[in-house]
Structure formats: C-alpha cells, structure tokens
Amino acid sequence: MKRAWISFWVTLGLVLPIRIFAMLRYLNPQTGFYSDGGRVVGAASALLIAGIFLTVFFAGRAAVGEFGTEPLKNIPAAVLGAFAGIFVVVQSVVGIGTGFLGEGQIFYQIYSYLGILAGGVLLMTAYGFAAGLRTVGSRPILALIPSVWGCFFLVVLFITYSAAVNLVEDVYHTFTVVFLLLFLFTQAKLLTGIESAKTGKMIYVTGFPAALLSLVTGVPSCIQYFGTGETAGFISIGLHMANIMLAFYIIAFLLALRPSLCPAQTDMTFAPSRQPGKSAEDGDKPEVEENSFYTPEESIAEES
C-alpha cells in the first residue's frame, strides 16, 4: 500500500495548487465558466484522473489480508470523525431552515433530515474509535444510514444539474458525492464484518478517490468563497466544509487500518516434521497466527 499512498500525496500536491489558481484566476462564480476556455482546469482534471487511476491501481494490487472483528482504537480518526459528524449535522440543520426551491424539494428535505442522522452515526463511530468499542459495527442498520444519506444527496444533485448547464464544477461535485457514497457504504460493510475479504481492498479503492476529490473540490471552493463571497455550483460552502472534514476523516481512517498482508507465494516447499505416533502424512502443521482487525503485531510494508 506504500505506492498507493505515494501516488495519492503526489496527485494531491500537483492538482490542488492548479485547481486553486484556476478558480481564483479564471472562474466566474456567477456563470460557472472559465475565462481561459477551461484549459488550466482541463489540465488539472487530466492529472487528477491519471492520479486516481494510478492510486487505485496500486491499491488494488496491494496484498491486503482479511480484516477481523476487533474494534479500532485511534484518536486522530475519532477526532476527525467527530468533526465530520458535527459539520454534517450543522449543515443539515441549516438546510432544513433555509429550504430548497425547485423540483427536488421533497428529496432535499429527506436528504437534510437524513443528514442529521448520518452525522449522529459519524459521532457514534468516532466515539467507538476513541473508546475502542464497536458502537456502530454491532448495529448494521445504523451503519447504513450515511450511505442512504449519500444516495439522496446524489439524487438531489442529478435533479438540480439536469436543469442547468453542464459545468466543470458540477462534474467535480457529482463525482465527489459518488465516491463519498461508495466509501461510506464500503466502510459500513467493513465495520459490520460483511464480506471482509473483499472489503479490505475496496476500502482503499474507494477511500483514496473520495478523499482526493473532496479536497481538490472543497478547498478551492472555500478559498474562493472566503476571498470573493461567491462560489460556483449548487453545493453550499457548508457542504464543501463538511466534505473537507470527511476527506480528513477518510485519510485518518485509512492510516489507522493495519491489516496483515497476505504472505507472498514462494517456490520453497517445507517438509512436515513428525512426532512420535504420527505418520509423514499427519506431520505437524505450522501454526498460523490469526490476523487482528486493525493492529497486528507485524505487517509487510512492501508489496511484491
């Protein structure tokens, strides 16, 4: 997984400054168009796509062992998860108060109320990370609430953007929500122990793009908003800030994961040893140490 992390940080370091420069220099927040014809943001998008594919490729090739059911105890993940939950709850309350005018009003109201529940689940998850308890993992229905919230957010975006001009920022926002939804759903399966053998890799495959897109979309939008008082697209500044906190939470969560890596296959053959009263066929089998969920004693740092 080392190469995936290197690709992630390099991509973020290259794309984020270009996105900030393009939005501050060329983007008109009122129309959503770039005055340079989108050449700079197009180059940033190409770098971002290449970086995401490379990061996902390395993450998919990494030999990640199966996760168990022991709870995670990690203070950075707990703190950032709590902040993410608070931001989601506050933004949802603000959304209920301000309302939404348009064809997707009913979906927006449902999405806002679900956001309060999703923020509460994130706070419960953060408490579990701080105390080392499976507060959400033992309750599968609760674990799925953030995913349902993400689904309704995606519905609201599709309804809103279907009646608007297809802008670059709208595409960024949509893919950000898509990958956040995929990560939240994968994390729910991981915390509840569902399909842990497959979920071990998918948590990285979905988490890296979700964090990248949330940061390269949210950070420039916040800088532009606090600098000019405006930002392009449907997503409010509060949602951008919530997405940034979710990105930090995702990074902390992925860093906290410590699954044992699958042992590399070799061509060496070991002859079983024999004890008195046992035949060669019934030789002693080597003891296999159980993989711990998040904190094994040793893990292989370099994948083959």
Side-chain angles (χ1 to χ4, degrees):
M1 202 59 64
K2 180 179 179 181
R3 295 175 184 174
W5 277 110
I6 293 175
S7 177
F8 171 83
W9 291 116
V10 169
T11 303
L12 182 63
L14 290 175
V15 176
L16 186 57
I18 299 176
R19 284 272 300 158
I20 294 174
F21 170 77
M23 291 189 69
L24 294 179
R25 180 70 176 83
Y26 299 114
L27 179 63
N28 185 338
Q30 297 179 348
T31 63
F33 292 105
Y34 288 85
S35 59
D36 68 333
R39 288 188 294 272
V40 175
V41 73
S45 301
L47 284 174
L48 178 61
I49 293 172
I52 288 177
F53 271 106
L54 193 61
T55 304
V56 169
F57 173 75
F58 286 138
R61 289 194 61 187
V64 180
E66 181 177 348
F67 292 99
T69 57
E70 294 181 11
L72 164 68
K73 186 174 183 179
N74 184 271
I75 299 303
V79 172
L80 292 173
F83 275 112
I86 292 172
F87 270 85
V88 171
V89 170
V90 171
Q91 174 56 35
S92 300
V93 172
V94 172
I96 294 174
T98 57
F100 176 75
L101 299 177
E103 298 179 359
Q105 182 176 4
I106 182 64
F107 291 103
Y108 185 81
Q109 292 296 323
I110 297 174
Y111 150 75
S112 298
Y113 282 107
L114 281 174
I116 298 176
L117 298 178
V121 172
L122 288 173
L123 289 172
M124 290 180 60
T125 306
Y127 173 75
F129 292 162
L133 302 173
R134 297 183 68 237
T135 53
V136 176
S138 58
R139 301 171 178 85
I141 300 300
L142 285 179
L144 285 174
I145 290 179
S147 304
V148 179
W149 169 68
C151 287
F152 273 91
F153 192 7
L154 200 58
V155 170
V156 172
L157 283 182
F158 281 138
I159 294 175
T160 304
Y161 290 154
S162 63
V165 179
N166 188 15
L167 306 176
V168 174
E169 295 307 308
D170 298 346
V171 177
Y172 270 96
H173 297 164
T174 302
F175 277 99
T176 299
V177 176
V178 167
F179 279 102
L180 282 174
L181 168 60
L182 291 174
F183 170 80
L184 292 173
F185 180 67
T186 306
Q187 187 188 45
K189 294 199 300 180
L190 180 66
L191 295 178
T192 54
I194 301 174
E195 297 183 10
S196 58
K198 299 179 181 179
T199 308
K201 285 187 179 181
M202 288 302 299
I203 195 69
Y204 294 99
V205 170
T206 59
F208 283 129
L212 272 174
L213 285 165
S214 298
L215 290 174
V216 302
T217 302
V219 172
S221 297
C222 288
I223 292 176
Q224 185 184 49
Y225 178 82
F226 290 114
T228 64
E230 295 179 298
T231 187
F234 160 74
I235 294 184
S236 64
I237 189 63
L239 282 174
H240 281 302
M241 296 175 68
N243 287 345
I244 292 173
M245 291 309 305
L246 284 171
F248 289 147
Y249 164 63
I250 291 171
I251 294 172
F253 180 76
L254 294 182
L255 287 172
L257 293 178
R258 290 293 184 272
S260 295
L261 300 185
C262 298
Q265 296 180 355
T266 62
D267 294 328
M268 293 184 294
T269 303
F270 297 91
S273 60
R274 283 179 289 178
Q275 292 182 356
K278 290 188 177 182
S279 63
E281 290 79 5
D282 297 328
D284 294 337
K285 293 182 175 59
E287 293 184 359
V288 180
E289 189 173 320
E290 291 285 338
N291 289 341
S292 62
F293 182 27
Y294 295 104
T295 56
E297 297 179 359
E298 294 182 356
S299 61
I300 303 173
E302 277 295 331
E303 63 266 25
S304 57

